[in-house]
Amino acid sequence: YSPTWKKQDDNFNRFRSQLTSRCDGFHKAIISQANTPLGTRLIYDGEKKKSIQINKDLFNTFLKGNPFSNKSLDTCAVVGNGGILANSSCGEAIDSAQFVIRCNLPPLENDYRKHVGNRTDIVTANPSIFMEKYGGLMGRRRPFVESLNVYGNSMLLIPAFSYGHNTPLSMRAFYSIEDFRSPIRPIFFNPEYLQKLAMFWRSQGLRAVRLSTGLIMASLALEVCNNVHLFGFWPFSNHPYGLAPLMNHYYDDRQTKKKFHAMPGVVHLHLGQCPPPKRPLKPFNAINPLTPTD
């Protein structure tokens, strides 16, 4: 991990070109009224024998256009929830990125802010969270909506069309947010994009049954950002420096499936503590960044 990380422009441009030609996440990762017209039949990416036809009610929940600007973003921080972020002092570095992506509704308040920041442009939410924490939104919905306040007016990205049971849950989340006039903006993954992205990674040798949220968001960031920085991605139980034991997440030790995906010289994976950035991330040189190898 000791060499200073250096972006390899040829690798970056080649990888981005492959992703764009195979997946086109810039235009197709998020469902919109432009890329998914009324009457479209969507095939669930997790249940390929199941589909849903887009009626007027569903269509009206979609974005009218592309959530990304026509111009590539300069710097993006994709923030995982790994225990390596605990006591990292990376909050300021994360918040200095032009665009910040977070995964699975992580806690940002109180003591966490110094280490993980609080700026958010996109935060993902697995519908299983709506079941586990909020009773499937079948009862009181205010606690769910109020829990989103920490993310401000960011986009809330939900895989509403990955499995059939996700759709009604996701619609209840959408309408709860609308009813309580929350500033957060629900958007939905396009299952066609997720299928194409899974095929792309299989062609790269990845044999996972399902892509992790972190890998999906890092892949999307590579298409929409010129410099991609990863924080909170370290799939081992010990810190790379000093070998201190780590919790699975920076906020708890709940175990999940662990995978590691290498993109040498393409994404900047930050490890160790982060010094205060002297300027916004372009590029930001963290202490002891990692250049993965195949």
Side-chain angles (χ1 to χ4, degrees):
Y1 326 130
S2 56
T4 300
W5 187 89
K6 182 179 180 181
K7 182 180 178 183
Q8 298 177 29
D9 287 314
D10 289 344
N11 277 4
F12 179 89
N13 292 330
R14 181 166 54 249
F15 207 88
R16 172 188 262 184
S17 177
Q18 290 173 354
L19 275 170
T20 299
S21 64
R22 298 275 298 276
C23 306
D24 194 12
F26 192 92
H27 297 103
K28 296 181 179 178
I30 311 302
I31 286 182
S32 70
Q33 294 182 359
N35 63 32
T36 309
L38 183 66
T40 298
R41 184 162 291 278
L42 286 179
I43 298 173
Y44 288 93
D45 64 280
E47 292 182 278
K48 295 181 176 58
K49 293 183 179 180
K50 193 166 187 175
S51 64
I52 185 171
Q53 188 166 17
I54 302 305
N55 59 28
K56 188 174 181 180
D57 287 342
L58 284 174
F59 183 75
N60 287 338
T61 66
F62 298 166
L63 286 177
K64 287 184 169 58
N66 194 329
F68 305 111
S69 64
N70 292 327
K71 188 177 179 182
S72 292
L73 296 161
D74 186 19
T75 55
C76 290
V78 182
V79 188
N81 299 326
I84 195 167
L85 268 180
N87 302 313
S88 66
S89 299
C90 285
E92 191 177 351
I94 290 168
D95 284 350
S96 73
Q98 186 180 359
F99 199 81
V100 180
I101 298 170
R102 300 184 188 273
C103 301
N104 296 327
L105 298 178
L108 305 179
E109 60 280 350
N110 302 328
D111 296 336
Y112 297 129
R113 183 172 180 177
K114 176 181 177 182
H115 307 296
V116 302
N118 73 332
R119 223 186 112 221
T120 307
D121 293 283
I122 290 181
V123 60
T124 70
N126 193 314
S128 63
I129 297 173
F130 307 153
M131 286 296 300
E132 294 170 7
K133 291 188 175 181
Y134 305 105
L137 301 172
M138 297 299 288
R140 295 185 181 275
R141 297 164 295 140
R142 185 181 296 276
F144 162 67
V145 177
E146 289 181 346
S147 74
L148 303 176
N149 290 342
V150 69
Y151 308 110
N153 65 346
S154 65
M155 292 177 278
L156 176 67
L157 181 52
I158 309 170
F161 303 100
S162 286
Y163 294 93
H165 60 266
N166 282 2
T167 304
L169 259 176
S170 301
M171 291 304 110
R172 287 199 292 274
F174 180 96
Y175 292 126
S176 298
I177 289 166
E178 184 178 70
D179 288 348
F180 284 90
R181 299 182 180 180
S182 170
I184 204 164
R185 295 165 288 160
I187 57 177
F188 306 122
F189 269 123
N190 189 335
E192 180 183 352
Y193 166 76
L194 295 179
Q195 290 177 37
K196 289 182 177 180
L197 187 63
M199 291 174 62
F200 169 81
W201 278 107
R202 278 197 292 273
S203 74
Q204 303 294 311
L206 182 64
R207 296 291 178 254
V209 176
R210 296 279 296 171
L211 298 182
S212 68
T213 301
L215 183 59
I216 293 170
M217 299 315 294
S219 301
L220 178 57
L222 281 167
E223 284 202 54
V224 302
C225 313
N226 292 326
N227 296 281
V228 179
H229 299 255
L230 303 186
F231 296 84
F233 291 93
W234 181 250
F236 307 109
S237 57
N238 293 88
H239 199 288
Y241 309 109
L243 302 180
L246 295 174
M247 296 194 303
N248 194 46
H249 301 121
Y250 68 81
Y251 49 86
D252 68 31
D253 202 27
R254 183 176 177 179
Q255 296 301 301
T256 55
K257 295 179 182 178
K258 298 178 180 180
K259 290 288 181 183
F260 183 71
H261 314 295
M263 302 180 193
V266 176
V267 291
H268 192 163
L269 179 60
H270 295 260
L271 303 175
Q273 289 194 319
C274 294
K278 296 179 181 178
R279 58 184 181 277
L281 287 172
K282 191 198 172 187
F284 172 74
N285 293 319
I287 293 177
N288 298 321
L290 172 69
T291 301
T293 56
D294 289 323

